[in-house]
Amino acid sequence: MSLTHIRPIFYEPLQVERVNIHLKNLSPSLKGIKLIQLSDFHCDGVHLSQNILDDVIQITRQENPDLIILTGDYITYRPQPIYPLIQSLKLLKSRLGTYAILGNHDLYHPLGKQIVTEALNSINITVLWNAIAMPLGEELPIIGLADYWSKAFNPEPLLSSIDPQIPRLVLSHNPDSAEILQQWRVDLQLSGHTHGGQIVIPGIGAVPMIIDQLRPYVPKFLHPYIPLWRECAYVIKKWQWSQGLHSVGDNFLYVNRGLGSYFPGRLFCPPELTLITLI
């Protein structure tokens, strides 16, 4: 049995991260706009606690955001669990609606993309797949990209079509994409995918980041005997971007720790609801 199918051992309560983001040339009419970002649900009956999901719905409704952003991985491998998930997601409320992108796990099943997209659309969640939306008006477009690992990832036509004087938000599930996106203006990229590393050593950092930093110093014959060695290298190349706000060239990237948890669970890396205020 794959480790990803084993129920997590360690659980932590949902944490709300409140972040103020300064956007250059932001229209005065948009200052103070509140966004909520949610990511990496992994609803499959194993990796997402219903209590966490209930807390997400309650807090989101209390915060009364202007816009809700979902940054992928609603399912793990089978698409059918999207149906019970949307029974909770349809309770999300915001002034301007909910916009979503897909993650790598939403694409693994041959019908995953279609089923997940149709399910989200059925509860009025707009899925952006290499598309631009303007719920905040033409002064702040939102660009939703195809997943970075998919053959459809192609940011150039979208980002080049926008006047470079206009600020923009970019939704891209995998934060590794930020390296490529440096070619264009990206005032704020919202990503997930990493789960924050799940296990964090206080004062040092996420365990996958530590493993990654040790790579050049560990003999190759030892690699098969080190837990998570291959898995960490597969998930993301830039583990220094595993959570929180980062500057990438002239752009900014925010990585949400997600809601779902793989085995062994989370330690000092709680599931996250991000409340972003644009200033």
Side-chain angles (χ1 to χ4, degrees), residues 175-188:
D176 271 345
S177 62
E179 192 165 27
I180 292 174
L181 295 177
Q182 289 182 83
Q183 301 173 57
W184 301 278
R185 174 176 179 170
V186 177
D187 295 78
L188 178 61

Side-chain angles (χ1 to χ4, degrees), residues 79-98:
Q80 287 74 20
I82 190 64
Y83 297 115
L85 178 61
I86 63 173
Q87 297 308 309
S88 293
L89 295 184
K90 71 180 181 181
L91 301 176
L92 293 171
K93 299 293 182 184
S94 67
R95 184 170 65 88
L96 298 171
T98 301

